[in-house]
Amino acid sequence: MIENLKVSLADREVLKGINLEIKPGEVHVLFGPNGSGKTSLLMTLMGFSNYRVTEGTINFKGRDITGMSIYERARLGIGMSFQRPPTIKGLKTRQMVALCSPGKEIQLEEMANRLNFKDFLDRDLNAGFSGGEIKRSELLQLMAQNPDLILLDEPESGVDLESISLIGEVINELLERKPGKSHATSSLERRSKRTKAGLLITHTGYILNYVDADVGHVLYGGLLSCHGNPRETLKCIQEMGYQECMRCMIRN
Amino acid sequence: MKGAREGKLQRARDAANKTAIFGEDLDLDQFIHEAPSHSDVENLSVLSQYDKKELLSAGVDPDVKGRSGSFMQIDHSVVHHDIFQDGLEIMSIGEALEKYDWLEDYYWHAVAVDTDKYTARAELHRDQGYFIRALPGVKTVFPLQACLFTAKNGLAQEVHNIVIAEEGSELHIISGCASSYEVRSGLHIGVSEYYIKKGAKLSFTMIHNWAEEFAVRPRSASIVEEDGVFLSNFVCMKPVKTLQMYPTTYLLGTNAVARYNTIVIAVPGSFMDLGSRVYLRAPGTRAEMISRSITTGGDVINRGHIVGEVADSKGHLECHGLILSKKGLIYAVPELEGRVSGVDLSHEAAVGKIAQEEIEYMMSRGMSESDATAAIVRGFLNVDIMGLPDELQQEIDRTVNMQGMF
């Protein structure tokens, strides 16, 4: 739940009053041109110090987390997949994944296998990783972390077509949206019980072919507009461009 | 041979007051020279538990587990040497000079006896040191360990070491320098000459563990022949008052390789002036220098110098420094000297604090700020050293991790 959030990055206002509510079990998508503030919103929700909240509040699980440190938010259940994470020299990916889940038994090798990422476990974290490798590394860490609200910054950028389906599947698993039959519960029951929430940024919309999102928003010039069906919103952008969003914003 | 020694002695006498190019000029008279002689130690495990701990921190295992031989010198006395593999030799340099006439030709061949007052003093006193040799084609399974130890407070220990890896051999050595827990001050001058013959490989890992008031002046050089490989690792994470060294490698044969890895932590009160220099003198030669230094309040000067003298030679220098406290200095001086076209030399240097971005990235996975910093620092110091046996890599990792300050 975000209320009237205003955020400055290096004294420039990048978010100008955002209102957004993501309920447990929901997945929201953010569209918007480059520089519109999408990544800023995710970074602010995670708590990065460069992003200074000047007004408004962020609530998560009934708690005001606006002033909380990054790791407190992470421990409370927020996790993020970064677009361009820093390289940590000398720290092996394997060690990092273990650090993501302290005190928990995790099936590291199995998880890495799932992401086709086993060969990278003994490489320095993010060192020389390609776009697609970074995404898989980020998802592996999130699998270990198992957050309740997952922030995904362009999970499909730089990923080849073959890997997109794999990445999509893993995101679905993380969001408890993996399709499939179960004798114990019906699909509807499972849907109503899921609690994992997500907020993802996409430029191309490819990822929507794999991950079903509930609500789409357009972020333009630091403001949210056009809350609606994600596919419809994407289609509108594809056909008429973001200029149309601007028009919607002014008219409404 | 007597004449050869006399010539060296004369050069040493002439250089007895010659100031070194780098490092604080030490007054050698403030150190005592006489030390009681120590009796032989049959087995390193009989040493006191305090001294054993100092040895362990310098990479020397008193129980000689996973070692193919050991050498130990306390003050001026060689108290122990033992070898567990055929084709290897380990003994005091004095003994070796008596045994092999030809050794005098190696003595002061890579390092000039009149380099400065420290080399001169080593020649004038000849207080032992070790001789290690792998016979042609012999490959060590486990590393050899050599320990130079000071037990007398205020002592000047001058040693001269020679290591020869004969043709096609492979030799791994851990050389630990340490002082007794009772010692506070002293001077260690260590001359080391390494000869890596055709197709041979030597990895030499030097771990220092001195007392706070210690002055240290290693003087090392190596000569590498065709297809030879020399790996030099230096680790110093304990306090030292003043440490200055600038080991040099001459790659003389085609395709010879040298790699230097340096990992140091300078605590408040420590001053380290470190460098390494490689001369590329044959086609296909390669040099790589990697240094990681951290200051928690001490000063580190990181020098590096690669000289490309022939075409088709290649060198890279990488120097990274982290400043983890308000005080402290890291001064990087990378130097590249290409003397002909066709050399390929490069360097990268970065000095600063840990990027906030890195810390926050780690924190976003649930780590507190201090845990995130510790993980990044451990990673920073974790240099994968190519070509080292796993045993030795683990040993270095263990040394890095056992310092307890992170």
Side-chain angles (χ1 to χ4, degrees), chain B residues 350-380:
Chain B
V351 173
K353 60 176 187 175
I354 301 174
Q356 188 65 18
E357 186 198 8
E358 292 179 24
I359 296 175
E360 296 197 341
Y361 176 60
M362 308 283 286
M363 286 170 75
S364 77
R365 304 290 185 229
M367 274 165 264
S368 68
E369 187 167 358
S370 60
D371 287 348
T373 306
I376 294 167
V377 168
R378 275 200 304 276
F380 178 83

Side-chain angles (χ1 to χ4, degrees), chain B residues 237 265 294 296 324 370 373-375 377-378 381 400-406:
Chain B
M237 314 186 96
I265 296 178
I294 285 182
T296 58
L324 294 185
S370 60
T373 306
V377 168
R378 275 200 304 276
L381 294 173
V400 168
N401 284 324
M402 74 185 273
Q403 305 307 319
M405 59 187 298
F406 299 112

Side-chain angles (χ1 to χ4, degrees), chain A residues 48-49 75 80 92 138 141, chain B residues 360-361 365-367 384:
Chain A
F48 276 77
S49 60
R75 288 181 188 179
M80 178 163 173
K92 303 296 167 210
E138 292 289 298
Q141 294 171 50
Chain B
E360 296 197 341
Y361 176 60
R365 304 290 185 229
M367 274 165 264
D384 280 331

Side-chain angles (χ1 to χ4, degrees), chain A residues 98-142:
Chain A
L99 287 168
C100 290
S101 54
K104 267 191 286 178
E105 274 289 318
I106 52 163
Q107 305 296 323
L108 179 66
E109 305 282 331
E110 213 171 277
M111 282 159 45
N113 255 344
R114 177 84 184 84
L115 279 161
N116 210 354
F117 205 60
K118 228 175 157 178
D119 295 346
F120 294 84
L121 288 178
D122 291 310
R123 295 248 309 253
D124 286 3
L125 186 62
N126 301 330
F129 286 11
S130 72
E133 287 155 7
I134 281 179
K135 302 302 168 200
R136 283 185 279 157
S137 158
E138 292 289 298
L139 287 181
L140 181 61
Q141 294 171 50
L142 286 178

Side-chain angles (χ1 to χ4, degrees), chain A residues 145-207:
Chain A
Q145 203 181 340
N146 192 22
D148 299 320
L149 171 63
I150 304 174
L151 310 169
L152 298 152
D153 195 351
E154 293 193 41
E156 82 273 44
S157 74
V159 180
D160 59 63
L161 282 171
E162 229 172 293
S163 304
I164 284 194
S165 70
L166 173 64
I167 281 180
E169 277 174 37
V170 172
I171 292 174
N172 273 331
E173 281 172 32
L174 284 167
L175 291 167
E176 298 175 325
R177 286 176 174 238
K178 193 181 173 188
K181 285 184 180 165
S182 161
H183 292 297
T185 52
S186 72
S187 294
L188 193 63
E189 279 173 310
R190 283 208 304 279
R191 211 178 294 166
S192 66
K193 273 188 184 158
R194 69 188 169 207
T195 55
K196 303 277 184 186
L199 178 60
L200 69 96
I201 296 175
T202 177
H203 269 290
T204 60
Y206 285 146
I207 198 71

